[in-house]
């Protein structure tokens, strides 16, 4: 068992899936990366992505083990299967990286994101925004006579859908956390 | 009880604990406390270079020639930024070096202080790892960790940035043995199942080839020994990349010569037509593969590499084996012997018959001349007159580098230092100094081009100061020869800025440095002139005026597969398609 409490990967080589994977299909994968919580570690990870031309769709980072001094980086990335394998191998090479897990291939995961969305308006639009928020189980965390701030959690798709609905109703600002993800089961 | 000492003293103590006796460096304000400690001890010899880039290349040369990590000490700001090219070079060629930089005091970091640079930021992408140490108590532990990281797994450069107040302050020293064990522990043993698969493939292959690289050298002399045993026992042909020259002896009967863009005809055709390719510590670099979709189309490929990111990076591998070359070869030999040392004799003898046909092409032949010195001839004579000596060869970058790889023979690992991955002009002179420091009594030659040589020529001062008898063998074509060759082939013979109008008088230059200068332009004088260089007990600059427009062949043009090699002048017309022209 790895420090991430995720069962070792889909091959006996654990994090390094060595199946030949040269194809043109673009896949989106969610990677969980456990790193030493030290100065510059995020810069190393981001520098790897920019330096080698990989995509970052979403990235979150926070300390998860204070005593052990470990942070968990969740990164959602898109690329061909070969590029995804390269990204994992290259991440694994960074010295303060302890473990790299591809949650997308390793038995599925739950993914959640939180967003704060400010909607400005009055009259019918304001009522409609509140009604839709209820349907999406978004909470009102701030209110004035001309605005709401909604808090919504869910998959990135759900957050997208809610934001799209709010646009014609006076969406003024949006702040998203990026994806946090955990593997399913034990 | 822990030992208390200043950070500066800790640096020296930690280096000694790591077995370091040689440092290449250049002082400045932010490292003065460390220089003060160096002054007050005798265990570590410091070599004052003339430019920080020279310090790093010297450390690289030292590391390649000894297998030990090279150590560099430079100041903050410009000292650190001057080290960047060397760090990148070492990263590309997997050379273990430890660079210590001074930094402005911690309380001034971020204030644009005098000679402040974001050294860890600048060097993050060109080191394997780097550290900024803000606490004297942690300094010795970090230095021990730095040596561990530089030398384990795939070796590479590391950097430790040490603010001046951390050098002055006292803290407790951590012994090497007590330093925190790093979680960074790359896997060295290969997967036995895949190794067994490889052995089966070895038993059955009709057209096998060993494709070896710098990983064999990095794995240590033991790995070269095991490789030689495996090659002799199986009777398979073997080729090597530029970085791997010497892992198998050039005089060995199974040796096909170097492969790749300027590799030998027989080596490249054997790579193209083989049915089993055993890649040992090489990385399918673009100088090797040529056009990817036409690279060795009929072969099963095994790849032994300590770095998982090398596997399937550009070429799909059928048998990936992650591990240290030495460990894996030991297991391959063990399993192969236990299963009865089988090979496909019939297939092999047909394969060798084909290879012998390719060898007959004699791809390295060149038109001799009695009027001018052909660069190939100069290297042939250098080889003949230095063969069998305790010899180390460095190079610069360009045509001369490729000719050196083609025409000189390397019998042992760690005797060939060249900038492969980065192709850094200016590498050779400081590298030769590093090698000579490591092997004071050996013959150390830098085969140089005149343009490359000028890039770090200031290091002749270092050679003279420390009485390092390095031989600078300059193949002077008064051209940026390799650039000119590409312009001829790719850019309609428009020679844009590929020659130097005002070259120095190299003999006078040598004398100005306090070294010996030799000029040779007549083929008839060549042997005597080379002997004069070899017999002189001190540094020499040998200005060998060679044919100005000679091109380097064979050549696989960019964007073409191995079997589309150009063998000589006649075959070069319109050889490179428009697609190839955009590639470097
Ligand atoms: C630092 C650096 N700048 C530019 C180049 C591009 N380059 C590659 S070979 C070459 C010409 C080298 O000329 P010279 O050293 O005289 O060698 P020759 O090819 O003539 O043997 C140049 C400019 C390089 N490799 N390194
Ligand atoms: Mg030249």
């Amino acid at each position: 068992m790895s420090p991430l409490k995720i069962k070792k990967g889909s091959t006996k080589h654990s994090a390094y899936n060595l199946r030949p994977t040269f194809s043109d299909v673009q896949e989106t994968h969610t990677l969980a990366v456990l790193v030493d919580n030290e100065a510059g570690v995020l810069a190393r990870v981001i520098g790897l992505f920019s330096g080698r031309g990989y995509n970052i769709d979403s990235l979150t980072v926070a300390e998860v083990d204070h005593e052990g001094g470990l942070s968990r980086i969740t990164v959602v990335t898109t690329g061909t299967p070969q590029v995804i394998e390269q990204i994992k191998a290259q991440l694994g090479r960074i010295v303060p990286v302890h473990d790299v897990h591809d949650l997308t291939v390793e038995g599925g995961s739950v993914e959640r994101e939180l967003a704060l969305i400010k909607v400005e308006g009055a009259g019918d639009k304001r009522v409609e925004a509140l009604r839709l928020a209820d349907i999406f189980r978004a909470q009102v965390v701030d209110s004035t006579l001309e605005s709401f701030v909604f808090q919504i959690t869910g998959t990135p798709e759900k957050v997208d859908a809610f934001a799209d609905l709010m646009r014609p109703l006076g969406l003024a600002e949006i702040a998203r956390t990026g994806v946090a993800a955990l593997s399913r089961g034990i | 009880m822990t030992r208390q000492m200043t950070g500066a003293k800790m640096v020296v103590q930690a280096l000694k604990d790591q077995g370091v006796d040689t440092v290449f460096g250049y002082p400045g304000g932010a490292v003065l406390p460390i220089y003060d400690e160096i002054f007050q001890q005798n265990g570590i010899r410091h070599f004052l270079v003339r430019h920080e880039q020279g310090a790093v290349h010297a450390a690289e040369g030292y590391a390649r020639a000894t297998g030990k990590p090279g150590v560099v000490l430079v100041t903050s700001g410009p000292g650190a930024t001057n080290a960047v090219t060397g760090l990148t070079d070492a990263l590309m060629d997997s050379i273990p070096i430890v660079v210590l930089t001074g930094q402005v005091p911690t309380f001034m970091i971020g204030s644009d202080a005098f000679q402040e640079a974001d050294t860890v930021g600048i060097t993050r992408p060109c080191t394997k790892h780097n550290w900024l140490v803000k606490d004297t108590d942690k300094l010795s532990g970090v230095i021990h960790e730095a040596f561990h990281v530089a030398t384990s797994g795939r070796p590479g450069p590391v950097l430790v940035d040490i603010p001046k107040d951390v050098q002055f302050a006292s803290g407790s020293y951590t012994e090497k043995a007590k330093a925190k064990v790093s979680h960074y522990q790359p896997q060295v043993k290969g997967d036995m199942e895949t190794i067994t698969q490889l052995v089966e493939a070895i038993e059955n292959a009709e057209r096998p080839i060993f494709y070896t690289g710098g990983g064999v050298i990095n794995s240590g002399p033991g790995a070269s020994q095991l490789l030689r045993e495996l090659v002799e026992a199986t009777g398979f042909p073997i080729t090597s990349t530029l970085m791997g020259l010497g892992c198998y002896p050039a005089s060995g009967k199974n040796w096909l010569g170097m492969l790749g863009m300027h590799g030998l005809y027989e080596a490249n055709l054997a790579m193209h037509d083989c049915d089993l390719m055993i890649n040992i510590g090489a990385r399918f670099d673009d100088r090797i593969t040529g056009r990817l979709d036409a690279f060795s189309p009929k072969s099963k490929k095994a790849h032994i590499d300590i770095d998982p990111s090398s596997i399937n990076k550009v070429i799909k591998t059928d048998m990936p084996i992650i591990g240290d070359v030495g460990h894996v070869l030991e297991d391959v030999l063990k399993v192969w012997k236990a299963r009865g040392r089988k090979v496909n004799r019939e297939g092999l003898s047909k394969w060798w018959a084909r290879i012998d046909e390719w060898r007959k092409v004699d791809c390295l032949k060149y038109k001799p001349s009695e009027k001018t010195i052909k660069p190939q001839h100069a290297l042939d004579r250098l080889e003949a007159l230095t063969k069998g000596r305790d010899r180390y060869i460095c190079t610069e970058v360009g045509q001369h580098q490729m000719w050196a790889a083609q025409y000189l023979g390397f019998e042992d690992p760690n005797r060939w230092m060249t900038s492969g991955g980065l192709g850094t002009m200016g590498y050779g002179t400081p590298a030769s100094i590093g090698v000579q420091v490591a092997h004071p009594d050996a013959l150390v030659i830098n085969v140089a081009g005149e343009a490359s040589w000028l890039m770090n020529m200031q290091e002749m001062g270092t050679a003279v100061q420390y009485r390092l008898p390095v031989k600078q063998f300059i193949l002077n074509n008064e051209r940026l020869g390799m650039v000119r060759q590409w312009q001829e082939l790719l850019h309609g013979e428009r020679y844009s800025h590929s020659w130097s109008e005002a070259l120095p008088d190299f003999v006078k230059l040598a004398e100005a440095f306090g070294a010996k200068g030799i000029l040779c332009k007549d083929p008839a004088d060549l042997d005597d002139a080379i002997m004069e260089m070899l017999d002189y007990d001190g540094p020499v600059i040998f200005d060998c005026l060679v044919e100005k427009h000679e091109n380097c062949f064979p050549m696989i043009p960019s964007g073409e597969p191995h079997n589309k090699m150009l063998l000589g002048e006649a075959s070069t017309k319109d050889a490179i398609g428009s697609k190839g022209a955009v590639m470097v």
Side-chain angles (χ1 to χ4, degrees), chain B residues 233-267:
Chain B
T234 55
F236 290 2
I238 173 169
T239 178
S240 159
T241 66
L242 183 72
M243 297 306 297
L245 295 178
C247 65
Y248 182 82
S251 59
K253 67 181 190 323
N254 296 12
W255 177 239
L256 302 188
M258 179 177 79
L259 82 160
M261 184 175 267
H262 291 291
L264 271 66
Y265 185 71
E266 49 268 44

Side-chain angles (χ1 to χ4, degrees), chain B residues 189 226 324-336:
Chain B
K189 290 283 275 182
L226 288 162
D324 167 61
V325 167
H327 284 84
V328 173
L329 286 184
E330 201 178 341
D331 284 337
V332 169
L333 267 164
K334 216 184 286 165
V335 175
W336 181 69

Side-chain angles (χ1 to χ4, degrees), chain B residues 397 399-400 448-452 474-482 498 546:
Chain B
V397 171
Q399 291 178 319
H400 63 277
E450 80 296 337
S452 297
I474 302 176
L475 296 176
N476 184 354
N477 53 9
E478 300 173 8
R479 300 287 181 280
L480 310 182
M482 190 57 97
S498 51
V546 295

Side-chain angles (χ1 to χ4, degrees), chain A residues 131-145:
Chain A
R131 203 180 65 81
L132 286 168
D134 195 39
I135 293 169
F136 276 77
R137 293 177 208 276
Q139 291 162 275
V140 178
V141 291
D142 179 67
S143 173
T144 68
L145 291 176

Side-chain angles (χ1 to χ4, degrees), chain B residues 266-318:
Chain B
E266 49 268 44
N268 283 329
L269 283 197
M271 285 288 280
H272 187 266
D273 282 358
C274 66
D275 71 346
L276 173 65
M277 177 186 298
I278 307 167
N279 173 342
I280 308 177
R283 61 185 175 90
F284 295 112
D285 178 78
D286 55 80
R287 299 287 107 155
I288 298 303
T289 58
R291 204 171 94 201
L292 283 177
D293 60 3
F295 176 69
S296 192
K298 289 164 262 182
S299 61
K300 281 240 175 293
K301 298 173 185 74
H303 188 177
I304 302 168
D305 203 302
I306 199 154
D307 179 0
S309 78
S310 288
I311 306 273
N312 284 336
K313 183 167 65 179
V314 281
I315 293 290
K316 208 192 286 186
T317 302
D318 305 284

Side-chain angles (χ1 to χ4, degrees), chain B residues 191-504:
Chain B
D191 174 53
M192 284 311 285
E193 225 173 281
T194 324
I195 287 176
T196 311
Q197 251 180 310
L198 169 58
V199 169
E200 269 171 46
I202 288 174
E203 290 167 349
N204 296 313
E206 291 178 3
R207 302 184 309 280
I209 186 165
F210 287 112
Y211 152 42
T212 58
V216 183
I217 314 261
N218 275 336
S219 180
S224 289
Q225 214 42 55
L226 288 162
L227 175 72
R228 289 162 188 222
E229 188 184 341
L230 186 63
V231 172
E232 301 313 325
T234 55
F236 290 2
I238 173 169
T239 178
S240 159
T241 66
L242 183 72
M243 297 306 297
L245 295 178
C247 65
Y248 182 82
S251 59
K253 67 181 190 323
N254 296 12
W255 177 239
L256 302 188
M258 179 177 79
L259 82 160
M261 184 175 267
H262 291 291
L264 271 66
Y265 185 71
E266 49 268 44
N268 283 329
L269 283 197
M271 285 288 280
H272 187 266
D273 282 358
C274 66
D275 71 346
L276 173 65
M277 177 186 298
I278 307 167
N279 173 342
I280 308 177
R283 61 185 175 90
F284 295 112
D285 178 78
D286 55 80
R287 299 287 107 155
I288 298 303
T289 58
R291 204 171 94 201
L292 283 177
D293 60 3
F295 176 69
S296 192
K298 289 164 262 182
S299 61
K300 281 240 175 293
K301 298 173 185 74
H303 188 177
I304 302 168
D305 203 302
I306 199 154
D307 179 0
S309 78
S310 288
I311 306 273
N312 284 336
K313 183 167 65 179
V314 281
I315 293 290
K316 208 192 286 186
T317 302
D318 305 284
M319 290 167 268
I321 302 172
I322 295 170
D324 167 61
V325 167
H327 284 84
V328 173
L329 286 184
E330 201 178 341
D331 284 337
V332 169
L333 267 164
K334 216 184 286 165
V335 175
W336 181 69
K337 284 178 184 167
R339 287 168 56 109
R341 298 167 167 266
K342 288 183 289 233
V343 291
N344 182 339
R345 301 244 165 258
E346 199 183 322
L348 263 183
S349 71
K350 280 194 210 148
W351 182 223
W352 274 112
R354 280 180 71 189
I355 291 173
D356 286 338
E357 286 304 308
W358 293 327
R359 277 176 162 169
K360 279 187 202 144
V361 169
D362 191 11
C363 67
L364 292 184
K365 66 173 178 277
Y366 55 90
K367 253 191 248 127
S369 161
E370 280 178 9
K371 283 211 295 289
T372 56
I373 301 176
K374 290 278 188 152
Q376 302 96 324
H377 176 66
L379 288 165
D380 265 345
R381 294 316 303 154
L382 186 70
E383 169 75 3
L385 296 171
T386 60
K387 214 181 169 76
R389 293 212 194 190
D390 181 14
R391 181 188 82 177
Y392 293 81
I393 302 283
C394 302
T395 75
E396 302 286 349
V397 171
Q399 291 178 319
H400 63 277
Q401 176 190 30
M402 294 298 113
W403 283 317
Q406 292 171 339
Y407 290 88
L408 302 180
F410 299 94
E411 296 296 308
D412 292 300
N414 303 99
R415 289 183 174 262
W416 163 246
M417 341 282 142
T418 192
S419 171
L422 195 64
T424 311
M425 291 170 69
Y427 166 86
T429 307
S432 68
I433 285 171
V435 176
Q436 191 82 72
V437 164
H439 303 289
D441 299 325
L443 170 62
V444 182
I445 304 172
N446 176 30
V447 176
E450 80 296 337
S452 297
W453 192 82
L454 289 173
M455 282 207 180
N456 270 325
M457 68 165 196
Q458 76 284 349
E459 299 306 331
M460 279 314 283
T462 311
V464 172
Q465 176 171 345
Y466 296 99
R467 299 175 201 282
L468 302 168
V470 290
K471 313 301 182 206
Q472 306 297 320
F473 191 71
I474 302 176
L475 296 176
N476 184 354
N477 53 9
E478 300 173 8
R479 300 287 181 280
L480 310 182
M482 190 57 97
V483 171
R484 188 197 170 281
Q485 175 165 350
W486 281 58
Q487 288 171 334
E488 180 178 325
L489 295 177
L490 280 162
H491 295 275
E493 302 179 42
R494 289 180 295 281
Y495 299 119
S496 181
H497 299 274
S498 51
W499 73 93
S500 318
E501 290 276 356
L503 285 168

Side-chain angles (χ1 to χ4, degrees), chain A residues 78-99:
Chain A
T78 304
T80 63
Q82 180 215 357
V83 166
I84 304 272
E85 291 308 317
Q86 259 301 297
I87 292 174
K88 289 189 270 181
Q90 293 289 353
L91 283 168
R93 241 154 68 105
I94 298 177
V95 171
V97 167
H98 287 245
D99 230 327

